[in-house]
Amino acid sequence: MSLAVGVIGTGMIGQDHIRRLTRVLSGAEVVAVSDIDRTRAGQAAPAGAEVFDTPQALIRSDKVQAVLICSWGPAHEEQLLDCISVGKPVFCEKPMVTSEAAALKVIDAEVAFGRRLVQVGFMRRFDADYRRLKAVIDGGTLGLPLMYYSKHRNASVPEGLYTSDMPLNDTLVHDADISRWLLSDEIASVEVRLPRRSRQGGELRDPHLVLLHMASGAIVDVEISVNIAYGYDIRGEVSCEKGLAALPNRPAPVVSDQFGIRQAIPEDWRERFIEAYDQEFREWIVAAGQGTATGPSAWDGYAATLVADAALRAVTSGGREEIAMRDKPALYDTAAKVAAA
Ligand SMILES: NC(=O)c1ccc[n+]([C@@H]2O[C@H](COP(=O)([O-])OP(=O)(O)OC[C@H]3O[C@@H](n4cnc5c(N)ncnc54)[C@H](O)[C@@H]3O)[C@@H](O)[C@H]2O)c1
C-alpha cells in the first residue's frame, strides 16, 4: 500500500518533491496539498489530491498518513508540533526551525511522544559521493580527520527575498550538518570573517568565511558565496593525519571543442543533488510507512540551529562564539545507531 502524503508549501522545492513522489519514486502518493497561496497549491496538486485551506486541516485529515513540510522556515515550528501532536511521521525541509527555543520545543514534544517522527531535509547525507567520502574517513586508514574544507557556492539567490542573515541561518546549516556527520563530531564554537563584499549581490553581505571549531579540535573552514555567477558548486576535502579525501568533481561529460576542454557545472541544487533527494525520499518512505523516521533527526536540526545562531552572534561580536548543547535524549542515540547501521 502506498504511503499517503500531504505536502505543506508548494513553492520551488515543494513542487520538486511532489514531482519526485508522484513521477519518480514508488511507494508514496501525494493525496493532499496546502499553501498560504491557494492558487499555487491548486496548480501544484497532482490529479486526485485534495487542496486544504490550512496546514492544520491537512495534518489532521484521516487521508494523510505522513506530512512533508516545504513552507518557509519560520512556519516550520508550528507545523512540526502539530504533526507530532497527532503522531504522524513528518519530513521537514531545512532549516528545521529558526530559533533554539523552537528547536527545543520540537525535541521535547518528540521525546514526550516516545518515538522518532521527524526527519530534517539534510540531503547531502544521502549523496553517493558524500557517503563514499564518509566511508573512507570512518575506515580509519587516513588516520584522524584534522581539517575539513567545505565550499558552498550558489550562482545567485533571489534578490530581496534572500537577506544578509540567510547565508548563516539558511545556507550554513547544510555545511554544519555535513561537518558533524562526516567527522562524527560536534561543533563547539564558531567564528565568522567577512571578506571584501562581492558587487554581484548589491547590498547583500556576501561572501562569508566561517570557521567551525569541532569538539575534537578539528577545524572546518566553510566558504559561502551565494552570488558567484558561474554555477552551483559544492566541494569538500578532508585533511587527515595520513592523507586527504575529497569529493570528486561532479561526474559530467568532458566536452572538447573549439573553445577548449570543459565540464558542465550544475545550475542549482536541484541538478547537483537530484539523486541525493531521490535517495533521501526512498529511505523516508520506508521509515514513514513504519510510523517513524530514521534520517537526520530533530537533534540534528537543533544542532544546526545552534550553529546558525552562534554564527550570527559571531558577525556582531567579531569573536569566537561558544555553543552549549543540552544533554542528548536517549531517543536520538538509538536513532543514530539505526541510521548508521
Ligand atoms: N534541502 C535543500 O537543499 C533546500 C533547497 C531549497 C529550499 N529548501 C528549503 O525549503 C523551504 C521552502 O523553500 P522554497 O525554495 O521552496 O521556497 P518558496 O518560496 O519557493 O516556497 C515556499 C512556499 O511555502 C508557502 N508557505 C509559506 N509559509 C506557509 C505557511 N505558513 N503555510 C503554508 N504554506 C506556506 C509559500 O506560499 C510558498 O509557496 C525553505 O525552508 C528552504 O530553506 C531546502
Side-chain angles (χ1 to χ4, degrees):
M1 205 185 73
S2 273
L3 180 75
V5 178
V7 180
I8 300 171
T10 53
M12 213 165 23
I13 204 161
Q15 290 174 29
D16 198 44
H17 290 334
I18 289 173
R19 174 195 62 79
R20 173 166 290 111
L21 293 176
T22 308
R23 293 202 248 134
V24 181
L25 304 177
S26 55
E29 187 188 353
V30 175
V31 297
V33 294
S34 180
D35 194 296
I36 42 171
D37 181 339
R38 209 179 189 285
T39 311
R40 185 179 295 162
Q43 286 162 351
E50 182 173 347
V51 180
F52 281 83
D53 286 334
T54 64
Q56 290 70 29
L58 177 147
I59 292 166
R60 283 179 176 72
S61 165
D62 290 340
K63 277 188 177 176
V64 172
Q65 285 175 285
V67 179
L68 168 51
I69 299 178
C70 299
S71 52
W72 296 317
H76 294 176
E77 174 189 353
E78 188 186 349
Q79 295 165 1
L80 278 167
L81 292 172
D82 275 347
C83 290
I84 296 170
S85 73
V86 293
K88 292 192 182 174
V90 51
F91 181 106
C92 181
E93 265 307 339
K94 65 85 197 164
M96 181 176 83
V97 289
T98 50
S99 72
E100 177 177 359
L104 290 175
K105 275 194 215 164
V106 173
I107 286 176
D108 287 343
E110 195 176 35
V111 168
F113 181 74
R115 184 171 79 234
R116 272 203 56 196
L117 293 173
V118 177
Q119 173 166 333
V120 181
F122 292 131
M123 77 295 184
R124 291 187 189 183
R125 295 186 186 207
F126 300 86
D127 178 74
D129 292 338
Y130 273 106
R131 285 185 163 185
R132 284 187 280 261
L133 182 59
K134 181 165 174 58
V136 171
I137 295 161
D138 288 351
T141 51
L142 298 181
L144 294 173
L146 307 175
M147 288 173 285
Y148 172 46
Y149 304 97
S150 191
K151 313 278 182 258
H152 191 137
R153 299 181 178 130
N154 290 67
S156 64
V157 285
E159 209 181 323
L161 285 177
Y162 189 95
T163 54
S164 282
D165 284 352
M166 289 175 80
L168 300 178
N169 68 13
D170 196 75
T171 301
L172 175 66
V173 291
H174 278 305
D175 303 275
D177 181 70
I178 206 70
S179 301
R180 296 175 58 245
W181 179 76
L182 264 182
L183 306 183
S184 306
D185 209 343
E186 286 299 350
I187 299 166
S189 59
V190 181
E191 287 179 78
V192 177
R193 295 286 172 268
L194 301 176
R196 178 186 213 174
R197 200 178 68 221
S198 165
R199 292 172 299 172
Q200 288 286 117
E203 291 306 305
L204 190 75
R205 202 172 59 215
D206 172 55
H208 289 74
L209 181 66
V210 182
L211 286 185
L212 305 177
H213 296 270
M214 309 304 288
S216 66
I219 293 181
V220 177
D221 136 336
V222 186
E223 173 194 322
I224 301 178
S225 298
V226 297
N227 270 299
I228 205 159
Y230 75 92
Y232 182 76
D233 194 6
I234 301 297
R235 302 190 189 193
E237 179 180 290
V238 188
S239 181
C240 303
E241 291 171 308
K242 293 185 279 180
L244 303 176
L247 291 174
N249 281 336
R250 185 80 192 133
V254 179
V255 176
S256 304
D257 61 12
Q258 74 269 33
F259 303 113
I261 302 173
R262 61 189 194 283
Q263 259 189 311
I265 297 164
E267 267 179 45
D268 65 17
W269 40 272
R270 277 173 292 210
E271 189 182 341
R272 166 63 181 87
F273 286 111
I274 188 164
E275 287 120 7
Y277 290 116
D278 290 349
Q279 186 58 25
E280 175 183 53
F281 277 93
R282 267 187 213 106
E283 296 183 28
W284 180 67
I285 290 167
V286 172
Q290 295 164 356
T292 187
T294 53
S297 65
W299 182 259
D300 299 313
Y302 162 65
T305 305
L306 293 185
V307 175
D309 287 355
L312 289 171
R313 290 200 306 274
V315 170
T316 310
S317 72
R320 184 164 157 175
E321 292 294 324
E322 303 294 324
I323 290 178
M325 292 185 88
R326 72 147 62 157
D327 290 340
K328 196 192 238 186
L331 183 70
Y332 301 111
D333 274 341
T334 317
K337 279 178 210 138
V338 172

